[in-house]
Amino acid sequence: MEITVQCCKQSKNDPFDDNDSENGTFLPGLPDDLAQRCLSSLSLSPSLLFSVCHSWRRLLYSPSFPPFFSLYALLSPLHNPTMALPREVVPQSTIVFFSFDPISSSWRSLPSPPQNPSFHLLRRHPSFLSRNLPIQSLTVSNQLIVIAATTQNLFPSLSSPLVFHPESNIWFYGPQISAPRWWCAAGSAQGVVYMASGFGSHYQGDVARSLEQWDLNKKRENWVWENKAGFKDGRFSREAVEAVGCRGKLCMVNVKGNALKEGAVYNVGLDKWEDMPVGMVAGWNGPAASMDEDEIYVIDEVKGRLSKYDGEKDCWVKVIELEQLKRAEHIAAGRGKICAVSAKGERIIVVDVRDKPTRFWEVEPPCGLEVVAVHVLPRMISRQH
C-alpha cells in the first residue's frame, strides 16, 4: 500500500498578524453581509479561504462563519522539559488544555477552567511512580467533557463533569455526580453521556456495578444523572475504560492492551447488557474510538496496526500498520481522521482513513508538554477577533 507522509510543524505565524496590511472587502462590489453569505455557502476548504487574502482569513475566524474542526488536547508538563514553559502554562492543576488550528498549524490555549470550586487534575503522584493516573474525557454534541480524575490527596477531582463549549468559548459544570470517581467506564451515544462502574475514594460494590446516563439533548435546567441497568458484578471497576458508542450500543473491554480481557455491550434502546461478539473482543488490543458512531477503529498498541471492525463478519479489518502507531495510548476519531497519541504523549499521529491511498502525518505538541488525550471539535470562537 502506498503511503503519503506529511509532517505538520508548529507554525509561528499568527493568522491575525497586525503587519498584514490587507483590509479590503470580502468580495468587491458586494456588501460584506451578502458576501459573507455567498462565501459561507460555497464548498471551499478552510485552507483555501485562509490562503486567498487577509479579509477572507478574518471571515474564516469570525463568529458568523461556519466553524471548521480542530484538534483539542489535554496536556501535561514533561518530567524534565528541555525548554521553559509558556507563561500561560503555569496552572493550578497538572493538566492544561490547548487547541490545534489545522489551517494556521498553530496551538492556542483554551480559557482557564473555572476554579470555583477549585479542583486539580493530577497526572502523576509520588505514590504511583510507575503509573500515570487516568484523566477521562470525551466529546458529546460538539463539546469537550472531563468526567473523572484524581486530586493531589488521591480523591476524585470532579463532583460534576467539567464542560467546554468551543463555539461560545466558555467552561461550565454539568449535573452533580452521585458518586464521584477516580476512574470509570465512560462514553457517549446519541448525545447522551454514560458513566459505568469505576472506583471512588474507596471501593463500593454498588458503584462498581452501576450505570448512569446524562442526556445532553434535554434542556440544561433538566440535566440530571439517571440510573440505568447495571452490571452483574464489578469487573469493569479495575481501571479507566473507554465505552465506545456505535449504532445505538456502547462497547467496552475491562482491561487495556493485549492482556486477557472480557467485553460487554450495552444496548441503549433496550437498556440491556449483551455479550460482546467473540471476534470483537479478540481484536480489541489497544485504544479504540468510533467514527460518527458508525464505525469502530482500534489500534493494536504492540503492532501499530489500525483496524476497523466488520460487524457482519465479526472481525477486524486492517487499515494501515505504522511504526509510529506503536505504543498508542489514546485515539479520537472525527471528520474521516483517526488521531492517535503515541510515544508516551510525545507526538500525535493523524491518519486520514478516507483518503486512498491512506495518508498520515504528525502533529507536534506544544513545547515542554506531553499529550494525555485528544479530541476533534469545532474551532474555538475567539472573541478578540
Side-chain angles (χ1 to χ4, degrees):
M1 179 181 292
E2 181 183 355
I3 300 171
T4 303
V5 182
Q6 298 181 355
C7 289
C8 296
K9 301 297 184 182
Q10 183 175 343
S11 171
K12 296 182 180 179
N13 295 324
D14 190 321
F16 303 99
D17 191 342
D18 290 336
N19 292 327
D20 193 327
S21 61
E22 297 179 60
N23 288 299
T25 58
F26 297 130
L27 291 173
L30 286 179
D32 280 352
D33 58 343
L34 181 57
Q36 284 190 38
R37 289 199 293 271
C38 292
L39 291 172
S40 299
S41 64
L42 295 176
S43 299
L44 298 176
S45 68
S47 57
L48 179 59
L49 290 173
F50 184 89
S51 63
V52 172
C53 62
H54 193 68
S55 59
W56 285 24
R57 188 175 299 183
R58 287 190 176 276
L59 172 62
L60 180 64
Y61 287 90
S62 70
S64 61
F65 196 83
F68 56 83
F69 279 71
S70 299
L71 188 66
Y72 287 71
L74 284 69
L75 303 116
S76 178
L78 291 169
H79 281 300
N80 296 298
T82 57
M83 300 180 67
L85 296 178
R87 266 189 314 179
E88 63 267 27
V89 188
V90 186
Q92 294 184 4
S93 77
T94 58
I95 291 296
V96 290
F97 302 86
F98 273 68
S99 174
F100 180 77
D101 182 336
I103 309 304
S104 63
S105 296
S106 60
W107 287 97
R108 291 179 179 272
S109 60
L110 271 62
S112 298
Q115 290 296 323
N116 185 20
S118 65
F119 68 96
H120 292 81
L121 305 177
L122 196 65
R123 181 63 169 163
R124 300 183 184 89
H125 193 278
S127 300
F128 301 93
L129 294 178
S130 62
R131 177 175 178 175
N132 289 328
L133 298 173
I135 297 167
Q136 290 180 266
S137 57
L138 59 155
T139 56
V140 186
S141 303
N142 286 334
Q143 298 174 97
L144 170 64
I145 298 177
V146 185
I147 201 165
T150 307
T151 68
Q152 293 174 335
N153 297 323
L154 297 180
F155 286 102
S157 293
L158 298 167
S159 57
S160 299
L162 180 63
V163 185
F164 180 70
H165 186 252
E167 294 182 53
S168 62
N169 209 21
I170 60 169
W171 291 93
F172 57 91
Y173 284 103
Q176 178 87 23
I177 299 171
S178 59
R181 293 151 220 210
W182 280 353
W183 60 71
C184 60
S188 67
Q190 302 170 355
V192 180
V193 176
Y194 292 87
M195 174 186 284
S197 193
F199 196 97
S201 54
H202 60 280
Y203 178 82
Q204 294 176 273
D206 56 341
V207 172
R209 295 186 297 271
S210 68
L211 172 66
E212 298 175 71
Q213 73 168 32
W214 162 31
D215 190 348
L216 275 77
N217 299 304
K218 295 181 178 180
K219 292 183 178 180
R220 189 167 173 179
E221 57 267 25
N222 296 324
W223 282 354
V224 293
W225 287 97
E226 304 170 80
N227 291 322
K228 307 300 288 185
F231 290 105
K232 62 182 179 181
D233 55 41
R235 58 187 168 144
F236 280 81
S237 65
R238 300 171 188 169
E239 60 180 309
V241 171
E242 300 156 337
V244 180
C246 184
R247 302 183 184 182
K249 296 184 177 182
L250 282 174
C251 306
M252 65 193 82
V253 294
N254 66 333
V255 178
K256 294 183 177 181
N258 282 272
L260 184 65
K261 59 180 68 68
E262 297 179 70
V265 176
Y266 174 69
N267 189 312
V268 171
L270 298 178
D271 187 24
K272 177 183 177 182
W273 288 97
E274 304 169 354
D275 292 332
M276 179 176 282
V278 174
M280 177 182 275
V281 69
W284 198 308
N285 293 321
S290 68
M291 185 78 71
D292 304 322
E293 296 191 16
D294 186 58
E295 298 173 324
I296 299 179
Y297 289 83
V298 69
I299 293 178
D300 187 313
E301 58 190 32
V302 174
K303 298 178 180 178
R305 178 185 297 167
L306 172 65
S307 301
K308 180 174 69 173
Y309 181 67
D310 184 333
E312 293 184 2
K313 299 179 179 179
D314 188 26
C315 67
W316 293 91
V317 179
K318 174 183 169 182
V319 176
I320 194 171
E321 189 167 322
L322 299 169
E323 183 71 24
Q324 292 91 332
L325 292 177
K326 290 182 178 179
R327 297 184 296 148
E329 299 174 353
H330 173 87
I331 67 172
R335 314 299 289 182
K337 298 175 179 63
I338 302 295
C339 306
V341 179
S342 194
K344 296 184 178 180
E346 294 177 6
R347 61 187 174 202
I348 302 168
I349 306 300
V350 182
V351 181
D352 192 329
V353 296
R354 294 183 181 172
D355 262 11
K356 302 298 179 187
T358 304
R359 294 187 307 128
F360 75 92
W361 59 93
E362 181 177 333
V363 176
E364 297 179 355
C367 295
L369 297 170
E370 63 184 24
V371 186
V372 175
V374 291
H375 299 282
V376 179
L377 289 163
R379 67 170 177 86
M380 288 190 293
I381 300 297
S382 181
R383 295 174 180 175
Q384 66 185 27
H385 303 300

